Amino acid sequence: MGENHGMLKIPALGGLADWLNDVPDLTELAKGSTVWLAVTGLSRAGKTVFITSLVHNLLSALHNPNRMPLLKVVGEGRLIAARQEGAKAHLLPRFPYMDNIEAMARTPAGWPRATADISEIGVDIRFVPTGLLGNMLGRISGGAATLKLRIVDYPGEWLLDLPLMSQSYAEWSRAMIQLWRRGLRAEPAADFMAFIADHPHGEPSSEAVAKQAHDLYRALLITGRDKHGLSYLQPGRFVCPGALGDVPYLWFAPLDMPEGTDRATSGTLGALMEERYEVYKKEVVARFYEDYFRHYGRQIVLVDVLGALLAGREAFEDTRLATEAILQSFRYGQHNILTKLIGSARVERVLFAATKADHIPDPQRDNMSALLRNMAAIPALEARGSNADINFTTLASVASTLDAAQEVDGRQGVIGRMVGAGKQTRFYIDPIPVQPPRPDTWGAPFLGIPKFEPPLIDPAPVDGIPHINLDLALDYLIGDRLR
Ligand SMILES: Nc1nc2c(ncn2[C@@H]2O[C@H](COP(=O)(O)OP(=O)(O)OP(=O)(O)O)[C@@H](O)[C@H]2O)c(=O)[nH]1
Ligand SMILES: [Mg+2]
């Protein structure tokens, strides 16, 4: 304070203008404003657990601020209240926060069920704004501001469809058929390939054949995901349909379209598939971006990097491809398809987060973040231009283990109770590489990382849930709106 002691310091005019540019609209702040945070990621990445823990820890933060010290509004003691928003006429299904908490707090503790569709939940955060703003608002509104946080859970598979928007049916078919002929994919694809070899694109259009091809292709995508750990699966709605239902325009599949064929001939099987593909793009893919995605200014993309590492070389490579494809939804070019879809709406901040960090010991976690960054080919994208602000981290929404005290064969590990086993188990892992491993260094794949039981959880919003980096992640995503 010095010589200004006792006086309100008025900033110089230039400084004031800068300051006004930096803060959200004053009246908006006094009334309360809204921020959308979308949580996405491929199946089993940890979206439901993340949102459940986030909401529970926010609602508990007043009672137990020690859980969320790195969320500055909590760490700085500025939180006044955090409440679940009251009943509203929202359009999206409600995220089942209480059911999920009860599943985790039960004895024996379990995990929430897998989810199939988009859902949302709101938390109203009342807080004291920082600094000068706080002083001014102090007079306007009794010292507090309210941020309405709207959290949305949607399948990351839906983002895998953005590339379709700039591909014709023939181009997309060729890309898919090539992909399914190679490596790990060839064996499960054999039946589907045999079927489309019997039904070339030029044969007369047939509803029954189209439906059969679709059923075979869809089953292939789901087998690829569940039995082979594959992630780069298009179209995303064949794997995660959401509330679409079994409508006829979905009944398409790629066909063997020869190089040089750009449009299917009218009246053929190829033409029927093409027509449905185009309707799918317009009615499903474009609509998701236009009606939903464009509103979600802050997004977190959860990636099960550890699961991908353990699933072996090809599954890891597939996760890498999928992560790269998802990243396209956050890169705006002057004339690119995303910009056409969402217009001037912008995703401002995106956090890519490697989940389930409690499966690896603390010293390995920075490597995990670096590996995720390298998987997404971020170095090539460093010149950001008008892209969203993108960051990387490693987190555990529900820390269910402790670091094991001893090393075994030079490997560090964690210790926790396995679901259903009832006794403590240690899990050791090779050091996490910062670059995708070289082809000759991969071990034998195994699917499904160990399932540890959640720790003891109080279902009342008092104590919160132990986590790793959840507060840091949230501060990056919405901290600026809580200043
Ligand atoms: N130990 C531990 N396990 C976790 C954590 N987060 C998720 N898991 C495990 O991963 C599984 C999947 O998590 P969910 O949150 O249901 O994943 P999701 O992305 O919602 O999956 P879908 O709804 O199928 O798309 C859980 O059942 C847990 O076994 C975590 O922070 N720690
Ligand atoms: Mg889920």
Side-chain angles (χ1 to χ4, degrees):
M1 291 262 169
E3 57 200 48
N4 284 325
H5 187 76
M7 280 165 50
L8 179 66
K9 191 165 180 251
I10 309 289
L13 210 52
L16 181 63
D18 286 349
W19 172 79
L20 283 174
N21 281 334
D22 276 353
V23 297
D25 184 81
L26 261 184
T27 43
E28 196 195 52
L29 245 181
K31 278 202 321 262
S33 61
T34 300
V35 65
W36 287 90
L37 170 61
V39 179
T40 191
L42 300 176
S43 302
R44 313 319 287 148
K47 303 177 288 294
T48 301
V49 172
F50 176 85
I51 297 175
T52 305
S53 179
L54 185 64
V55 171
H56 202 60
N57 277 321
L58 275 176
L59 301 185
S60 310
L62 211 55
H63 298 277
N64 187 0
N66 297 331
R67 283 277 187 235
M68 305 281 274
L70 300 182
L71 178 61
K72 290 198 190 74
V73 75
V74 176
E76 292 168 1
R78 293 185 289 107
L79 182 71
I80 300 170
R83 289 201 194 93
Q84 212 182 317
E85 115 190 311
K88 295 253 168 63
H90 292 322
L91 296 177
L92 294 179
R94 176 76 63 92
F95 178 86
Y97 156 68
M98 263 330 284
D99 294 350
N100 296 342
I101 279 292
E102 277 161 15
M104 292 198 281
R106 200 176 288 149
T107 329
W111 294 99
R113 271 204 304 267
T115 22
D117 201 6
I118 188 166
S119 65
E120 74 161 283
I121 183 165
V123 177
D124 295 346
I125 304 172
R126 219 169 142 66
F127 66 99
V128 181
T130 52
L132 182 60
L133 182 62
N135 291 333
M136 285 179 60
L137 268 175
R139 273 170 275 145
I140 304 170
S141 67
T146 299
L147 181 70
K148 292 177 177 303
L149 173 61
R150 307 277 293 275
I151 308 168
V152 176
D153 175 353
Y154 77 87
E157 280 79 0
W158 297 357
L159 301 182
L160 296 179
D161 284 345
L162 183 67
L164 271 58
M165 292 305 297
S166 37
Q167 282 177 309
S168 70
Y169 172 70
E171 287 167 335
W172 175 72
S173 279
R174 280 194 285 272
M176 288 302 109
I177 301 298
Q178 250 182 37
L179 197 64
W180 284 105
R181 282 200 172 120
R182 284 204 313 253
L184 175 67
R185 290 178 177 243
E187 190 261 315
D191 283 354
F192 172 72
M193 290 299 188
F195 186 84
I196 63 167
D198 284 346
H199 297 282
H201 69 94
E203 77 171 30
S205 160
S206 151
E207 177 74 291
V209 172
K211 178 73 162 67
Q212 235 178 318
H214 167 76
D215 289 345
L216 276 171
Y217 183 67
R218 183 160 179 265
L220 170 59
L221 296 183
I222 290 171
T223 308
R225 181 190 67 182
D226 295 344
K227 299 234 164 72
H228 302 275
L230 296 174
S231 321
Y232 189 60
L233 300 168
Q234 288 173 338
R237 297 274 181 156
F238 286 14
V239 185
C240 295
L244 277 185
D246 202 14
V247 281
Y249 67 75
L250 289 178
W251 300 340
F252 69 90
L255 291 176
D256 198 355
M257 303 292 286
E259 214 58 61
T261 316
D262 224 35
R263 293 289 313 263
T265 315
S266 115
T268 61
L269 182 63
L272 175 62
M273 297 290 199
E274 184 176 86
E275 195 183 318
R276 288 177 170 171
Y277 173 85
E278 292 301 332
V279 173
Y280 176 84
K281 280 162 60 173
K282 192 156 143 268
E283 294 299 321
V284 179
V285 186
R287 261 174 208 269
F288 175 67
Y289 283 90
E290 289 161 358
D291 297 349
Y292 297 93
F293 186 89
R294 65 195 299 269
H295 299 295
Y296 306 150
R298 313 293 165 103
Q299 301 208 25
I300 179 165
V301 180
L302 304 179
V303 186
D304 185 359
V305 179
L306 180 64
L309 266 179
L310 295 177
R313 185 173 64 84
E314 290 195 74
F316 181 85
E317 175 56 20
D318 222 61
T319 305
R320 201 186 61 70
L321 270 179
T323 308
E324 249 179 44
I326 288 175
L327 193 63
Q328 299 306 318
S329 287
F330 304 103
R331 300 180 65 182
Y332 319 105
Q334 277 212 309
H335 304 292
N336 77 7
I337 185 68
L338 180 65
T339 309
K340 280 197 199 109
L341 286 172
I342 66 176
S344 60
R346 284 288 179 266
V347 178
E348 298 145 342
R349 289 185 187 190
V350 186
L351 184 59
F352 279 73
T355 47
K356 310 178 194 178
D358 54 335
H359 286 76
I360 58 173
D362 179 50
Q364 300 291 324
R365 289 178 196 140
D366 285 347
N367 284 10
M368 192 71 119
S369 308
L371 176 62
L372 178 57
R373 177 174 239 279
N374 289 323
M375 278 169 78
I378 278 296
L381 192 142
E382 214 64 83
R384 281 210 180 120
S386 57
N387 293 321
D389 186 2
I390 301 173
N391 225 321
F392 293 82
T393 194
T394 294
L395 59 81
S397 312
V398 176
S400 311
T401 66
L402 295 172
D403 283 9
Q406 289 128 12
E407 295 189 358
V408 168
D409 301 334
R411 300 197 305 174
Q412 298 164 308
V414 296
I415 179 164
R417 199 186 295 275
M418 301 287 271
V419 169
K423 68 175 183 21
Q424 302 271 16
T425 305
R426 286 161 209 273
F427 176 59
Y428 289 91
I429 178 147
D430 288 329
I432 304 292
V434 296
Q435 289 288 347
R438 288 200 322 269
D440 53 329
T441 56
W442 284 93
F446 73 94
L447 291 181
I449 61 176
K451 247 183 187 247
F452 291 109
E453 217 174 62
L456 264 188
I457 291 172
D458 183 344
V462 175
D463 188 39
I465 297 178
H467 63 83
I468 298 163
N469 283 343
L470 197 66
D471 48 354
L472 199 63
L474 194 61
D475 201 67
Y476 167 73
L477 287 163
I478 61 161
D480 61 322
R481 302 294 298 273
L482 291 166
R483 272 194 267 133

